[in-house]
Amino acid sequence: MNKFTPDQLLYLAGLIDGDGSIIAQLVSRKDYTWEFQIRLTVQVTQLKKRRWFLEELQKEIGAGSVRDRDTVSDYILTETSNVYKFLKDLQPHLRLKQKQANLVLRIIEQLPSSKASKEIFLELCNVVDHVATLNDTKKRKYTAEIVAAKLKELKECVVPVETSEETNSGI
Amino acid sequence: MNKFTPDQLLYLAGLIDGDGSIIAQLVSRKDYTWEFQIRLTVQVTQLKKRRWFLEELQKEIGAGSVRDRDTVSDYILTETSNVYKFLKDLQPHLRLKQKQANLVLRIIEQLPSSKASKEIFLELCNVVDHVATLNDTKKRKYTAEIVAAKLKELKECVVPVETSEETNSGI
């Protein structure tokens, strides 16, 4: 990830306010502690014929990738530490998406402690919902509510194991 | 129209590159010299619920207006001298829409001389077409070709008058 001049940050803030998305998503991941990943993304979308613009953006930011999707291309920055550095620099200059940026920064700051605490994780899932609301996101596969229900199931699944341990110890 | 700081221009350039349009259009106007107006517009569109952002933009620019249309609101700057001043300041900072800005500036510079010359007017109509192509505009009511055809008709309509003058003078 590159260092940015104030001039670059001002232009990028305008661009992200206009054409960018600061996204928080819940993604099903069986190998994760709470079976869900909180994925944070900064994204800029353009028609495929302006892919060059996104490639220049990628070079300027010094991180992220450009991918094609139907008639458009997306610049995607999703590696958590890069999203954090980028939004931390960008945030003071944002006018429209400053709230989303601050919420995503808060999520990233609390991610490490959420690994040890289901309560903190569910709290962060609520912040994810908040970001989605600010983004006018319509279709969402997973919400904090769904994650909470799944985590409850997860707890219920653990119970028989504990019982069987007790049974074993009773032999 | 306000004066802008370099910081403001950088942000606005990013915003216009991302979410703005720099538009050139041909509009039928029977009372105009060539029966068409070349309308130049800088526009920023947002969902109606973010109309406040466009109103702030309007205050910051110190010109233009905000209008509602279906589910969205548009900030519209269309008074030619304001469009000129704004794009002249903005142009060095644009990355994606710099071509459109320069073409619109060129059109505005030549508008006065196009009033006395059909050839210059038709040339400017071609520049309008060029801007529309850069903007991926699909539906267009009038193109340079249509204007050229109309202006040819206009000339043909004038002919009988000249003939009748000749007839008169022949009496």
Side-chain angles (χ1 to χ4, degrees):
Chain A
M1 156 95 40
N2 296 333
K3 294 258 171 211
F4 305 106
T5 65
D7 280 14
Q8 280 177 307
L9 288 173
L10 282 159
Y11 177 87
L12 291 172
L15 183 75
I16 301 284
D17 267 350
D19 199 29
S21 303
I22 299 171
I23 305 165
Q25 284 168 295
L26 299 167
V27 183
S28 175
R29 293 273 193 185
K30 288 292 171 209
D31 54 329
Y32 274 56
T33 316
W34 305 115
E35 299 204 353
F36 283 90
Q37 177 198 0
I38 297 181
R39 186 191 286 161
L40 295 324
T41 311
V42 178
Q43 188 170 319
V44 180
T45 303
Q46 285 286 333
L47 280 184
K48 225 180 241 172
K49 67 175 177 181
R50 281 189 285 276
R51 192 191 153 97
W52 63 267
F53 177 74
L54 301 176
E55 285 167 357
E56 284 190 6
L57 190 66
Q58 182 192 13
K59 263 189 233 161
E60 182 171 6
I61 296 178
S65 59
V66 179
R67 292 175 212 170
D68 292 335
R69 165 174 64 96
D70 304 326
T71 57
V72 298
S73 297
D74 296 307
Y75 166 75
I76 294 169
L77 184 72
T78 195
E79 205 271 296
T80 311
S81 68
N82 284 334
V83 171
Y84 190 82
K85 278 185 236 162
F86 186 59
L87 289 184
K88 197 81 183 169
D89 286 350
L90 203 67
Q91 175 274 332
H93 307 293
L94 290 169
R95 300 184 191 180
L96 206 49
K97 291 172 180 151
Q98 197 176 48
K99 265 190 200 167
Q100 286 93 312
N102 283 330
L103 291 173
V104 165
L105 288 170
R106 197 174 113 196
I107 292 171
I108 298 175
E109 282 162 7
Q110 295 190 45
L111 270 184
S113 52
S114 78
K115 276 173 193 156
S117 157
K118 196 174 73 182
E119 286 64 36
I120 294 176
F121 186 75
L122 284 174
E123 222 179 274
L124 294 189
C125 291
N126 279 312
V127 184
V128 169
D129 281 7
H130 189 175
V131 176
T133 309
L134 291 170
N135 283 338
D136 323 310
T137 315
K138 275 165 204 147
K139 285 185 216 154
R140 296 183 64 210
K141 200 166 175 190
Y142 300 112
T143 60
E145 199 181 356
I146 294 169
V147 173
K150 289 261 179 190
L151 288 190
K152 216 179 146 198
E153 269 176 41
L154 197 68
K155 197 183 154 193
E156 279 158 9
C157 287
V158 172
V159 177
V161 180
E162 280 168 7
T163 316
S164 88
E165 272 178 7
E166 278 176 16
T167 313
N168 286 341
S169 64
I171 291 170
Chain B
M1 156 95 42
N2 297 332
K3 294 256 170 212
F4 304 106
T5 65
D7 280 15
Q8 280 177 308
L9 288 172
L10 282 159
Y11 177 87
L12 291 171
L15 183 74
I16 301 283
D17 267 351
D19 199 28
S21 302
I22 299 171
I23 306 166
Q25 285 168 296
L26 300 167
V27 183
S28 175
R29 291 272 194 185
K30 288 292 170 208
D31 54 329
Y32 274 55
T33 316
W34 305 116
E35 299 206 354
F36 283 91
Q37 177 200 358
I38 298 180
R39 186 191 287 162
L40 295 324
T41 310
V42 178
Q43 188 170 319
V44 181
T45 303
Q46 284 286 331
L47 279 185
K48 225 180 240 174
K49 67 175 178 180
R50 279 187 286 274
R51 193 191 152 98
W52 62 267
F53 177 74
L54 301 176
E55 286 166 358
E56 283 190 8
L57 190 66
Q58 182 191 13
K59 264 189 233 163
E60 182 170 4
I61 296 176
S65 59
V66 180
R67 292 175 212 171
D68 293 335
R69 164 174 64 96
D70 305 326
T71 57
V72 298
S73 298
D74 296 307
Y75 165 76
I76 294 168
L77 184 73
T78 195
E79 205 272 295
T80 311
S81 69
N82 283 334
V83 170
Y84 190 81
K85 278 184 236 163
F86 185 60
L87 289 184
K88 197 80 182 170
D89 286 351
L90 203 67
Q91 174 274 331
H93 308 293
L94 290 169
R95 299 183 190 179
L96 206 48
K97 291 173 180 152
Q98 197 176 48
K99 265 190 200 167
Q100 286 94 313
N102 284 330
L103 291 172
V104 165
L105 288 169
R106 197 174 113 197
I107 291 172
I108 298 176
E109 283 162 7
Q110 295 189 45
L111 271 184
S113 53
S114 77
K115 276 172 193 156
S117 157
K118 197 174 72 183
E119 286 65 36
I120 293 176
F121 186 76
L122 284 174
E123 223 178 273
L124 293 189
C125 291
N126 279 312
V127 185
V128 169
D129 281 6
H130 189 174
V131 176
T133 309
L134 290 170
N135 284 338
D136 322 311
T137 316
K138 275 163 204 149
K139 285 186 216 152
R140 295 183 64 212
K141 198 164 177 192
Y142 300 112
T143 59
E145 199 181 356
I146 294 170
V147 173
K150 289 262 180 190
L151 289 189
K152 216 179 146 196
E153 268 176 41
L154 197 69
K155 197 183 155 193
E156 277 158 10
C157 288
V158 171
V159 178
V161 179
E162 281 169 6
T163 315
S164 87
E165 271 179 8
E166 276 176 18
T167 314
N168 285 341
S169 63
I171 289 169

